[in-house]
């Protein structure tokens, strides 16, 4: 496509913002629309582990995106920090998985994929993480796993995007439907009026399925609620991420500790609940008993864009010229964003794709 064309990106989470950033840095004119403030949904609510929680349980399609993104994240963070002065804090701590039922599968996956994950004696985990609970018997460890401080990533991305020429950002601007002329999508309708573009990208997270339904298309992306809690401890309290029984503890550089998360099918209701708070506190204390004496300084819920097998939709919508998808990342939007958005830009611009796009193509999946 030519550089004079305008791309409308529907959704201002990490996927929408990074999609827009990649296109704008190639000289395209980009308009980003968000129903609220950018990055305030699952991009803000998540934990930011730069790995699927259990990477060996995912398909090769998710693995390919995850590996590319994990390798790319440090340079993305450095680029954004240099451009904006806002550090996304990609913090490499390593990750211990404790008492896995499928440890053998994890080790076989690591050997097959060439990832530095290995079995360790649980005593070495306790040496590395002295605050770890006593109730664990087995451990595996991957040293190079990082976490990104997602609210700062969003802030940095927004600032970097707005510093580029040809970028317009409209917040509090809910998209109500698509403008269709002939067989093509030529823009969107919003409460503030029409926004037209030569290409329209749907990157609206948990809301993507609802929006595509306005065209009579069934996109199996639905909201999946997740709740988290936050503690504030000393900066050296927890040195490493730990994960057991589906719950995790993530240390930030300043001593904040995130504990997550629940998986709830409650539609678009993201009200935090007392039952989830109690459950998350219990998991926190099982992982790290000293948190029994720490104050919960935050408790929130977000809506993940649930999709079959967590495989995102990246590419053209068949039968609707000008309409593209970059959505449906489920629990791994922050993990997969760099690869997903680079792949998307390659497809839209007609460049050689960084990874095989076939598994993510909407054709045959909607």
């Amino acid at each position: 496509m030519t550089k004079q064309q305008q791309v409308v990106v529907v959704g201002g989470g990490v996927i929408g913002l990074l999609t827009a950033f990649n296109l704008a840095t190639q000289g395209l004119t980009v308009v980003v629309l968000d129903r609220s403030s950018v990055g305030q949904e699952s991009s803000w609510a998540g934990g930011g582990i730069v790995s699927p929680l259990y990477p060996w349980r995912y398909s090769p399609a998710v693995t390919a995106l995850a590996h590319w993104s994990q390798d790319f994240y440090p340079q993305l963070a450095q680029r954004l920090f240099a451009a904006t002065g806002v550090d996304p804090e990609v913090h490499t701590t390593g990750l211990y998985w404790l008492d896995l039922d499928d440890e053998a599968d994890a080790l076989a996956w690591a050997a097959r994929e060439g990832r530095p994950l290995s079995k360790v004696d649980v005593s070495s985990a306790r040496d590395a993480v002295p605050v770890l609970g006593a109730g664990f018997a087995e451990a595996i460890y991957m040293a190079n796993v990082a976490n990104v401080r997602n609210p700062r990533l969003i802030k940095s991305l927004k600032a970097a995007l707005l510093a580029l020429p040809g970028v317009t950002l409209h917040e509090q601007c809910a998209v109500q439907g698509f403008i269709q002329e002939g067989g093509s999508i030529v823009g969107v309708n919003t409460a503030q009026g029409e926004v037209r573009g030569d290409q329209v990208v749907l990157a609206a997270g948990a809301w993507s399925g609802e929006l595509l339904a306005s065209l009579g298309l069934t996109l199996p992306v639905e909201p999946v609620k997740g709740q988290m809690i936050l503690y504030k401890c000393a900066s050296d309290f927890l040195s490493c991420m730990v994960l057991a029984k589906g719950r995790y503890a993530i240390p930030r550089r300043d001593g904040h500790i995130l504990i997550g998360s629940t998986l709830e099918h409650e539609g678009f209701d993201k009200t935090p609940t007392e039952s989830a708070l109690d459950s998350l506190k219990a998991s926190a204390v099982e992982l790290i008993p000293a948190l029994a004496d720490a104050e919960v300084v935050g408790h929130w819920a977000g809506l993940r864009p649930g999709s079959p097998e967590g495989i995102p939709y990246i590419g053209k919508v068949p039968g609707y010229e000008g309409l593209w998808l970059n959505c449906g990342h489920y629990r791994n939007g922050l993990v997969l964003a760099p690869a997903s958005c680079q792949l998307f830009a390659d497809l839209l611009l007609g460049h050689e794709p960084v990874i095989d796009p076939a598994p993510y193509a909407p054709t045959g999946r909607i």
Side-chain angles (χ1 to χ4, degrees):
M1 65 179 285
T2 64
K3 289 186 176 181
Q4 288 73 35
Q5 293 195 57
Q6 175 162 290
V7 180
V8 178
V9 178
V10 181
V14 66
I15 299 294
L17 292 177
L18 190 52
T19 294
F21 181 77
N22 286 349
L23 297 176
T25 55
Q26 293 295 308
L28 276 65
T29 300
V30 182
V31 180
V32 180
L33 309 173
D34 196 89
R35 58 188 294 278
S36 57
S37 299
V38 298
Q40 293 305 297
E41 296 295 346
S42 60
S43 298
W44 183 90
I49 301 175
V50 185
S51 170
L53 290 187
Y54 300 97
W56 54 90
R57 297 178 187 173
Y58 283 89
S59 70
V62 172
T63 298
L65 292 173
H67 288 179
W68 195 95
S69 293
Q70 286 165 329
D71 295 341
F72 187 75
Y73 245 116
Q75 68 190 77
L76 174 64
Q78 289 167 5
R79 181 181 183 184
L80 292 173
F81 188 20
T84 67
V86 180
D87 186 359
E89 290 190 17
V90 174
H91 183 29
T92 302
T93 65
L95 172 58
Y96 284 97
W97 288 267
L98 305 166
D99 289 357
L100 285 168
D101 292 333
D102 58 350
E103 183 181 275
D105 293 341
L107 296 171
W109 170 87
R112 187 170 65 247
E113 296 290 339
R115 306 309 277 188
L117 183 153
S118 57
K119 185 169 178 59
V120 296
D121 192 277
V122 76
S123 63
S124 68
R126 296 192 198 291
D127 290 344
V129 187
V131 293
L132 188 64
F136 302 105
E138 307 285 339
I140 61 172
Y141 178 64
M142 191 184 289
N144 64 347
V145 183
N147 64 77
V148 61
R149 197 159 184 173
N150 32 311
R152 297 194 181 189
L153 174 65
I154 291 295
K155 185 178 179 182
S156 187
L157 260 177
K158 180 181 178 181
L161 191 58
L162 290 177
L164 293 171
V167 174
T168 308
L169 175 60
H170 294 295
E171 298 178 281
Q172 317 302 325
C173 184
V175 170
Q176 299 165 334
F178 300 94
I179 304 169
Q180 192 172 357
E181 292 179 357
S184 298
I185 300 300
V186 297
V188 294
N189 290 307
T190 78
Q192 284 83 12
E194 292 186 348
V195 180
R196 288 185 171 249
D198 303 282
Q199 314 288 332
V200 175
V201 187
L202 184 56
W207 288 264
S208 298
E210 271 202 340
L211 283 169
L212 208 59
S214 69
L215 292 173
L217 296 172
T218 301
L219 177 70
V221 173
E222 61 178 5
V224 181
K225 183 176 176 178
Q227 299 189 49
M228 300 187 69
I229 57 175
L230 183 71
Y231 294 90
K232 181 67 169 73
C233 302
S235 60
D236 60 353
F237 174 75
L238 180 63
S239 60
C240 182
M241 294 181 284
V242 292
L243 194 161
K245 299 179 183 176
R247 297 280 169 86
Y248 50 79
I250 305 172
R252 302 303 198 206
R253 288 178 184 165
D254 63 2
H256 279 100
I257 310 293
L258 286 87
I259 304 291
S261 67
T262 64
L263 272 173
E264 306 166 63
H265 292 267
E266 301 285 348
F268 286 94
D269 175 12
K270 56 174 185 174
T271 309
T273 63
E274 285 297 317
S275 59
L277 177 61
D278 292 343
S279 175
L280 290 164
K281 281 182 174 179
S283 294
V285 172
E286 184 177 11
L287 278 169
I288 303 166
L291 290 177
D293 301 319
E295 179 189 359
V296 175
V297 296
H299 173 210
W300 61 87
L303 300 174
R304 309 175 184 89
S307 60
E309 296 186 75
I311 300 173
Y313 298 84
I314 306 171
K316 288 183 176 180
V317 176
Y320 292 85
E321 188 63 35
L323 181 59
W324 301 71
L325 302 181
N326 193 1
C327 58
H329 294 76
Y330 197 15
R331 303 191 75 173
N332 295 311
L334 288 156
V335 184
L336 306 181
S340 296
C341 298
Q342 185 58 56
L343 173 61
F344 181 88
D346 291 340
L347 293 172
L348 190 140
L349 293 164
H351 296 168
E352 183 69 24
V354 287
I355 58 176
D356 179 9
Y360 321 102
T363 301
R365 299 178 65 209
I366 60 176

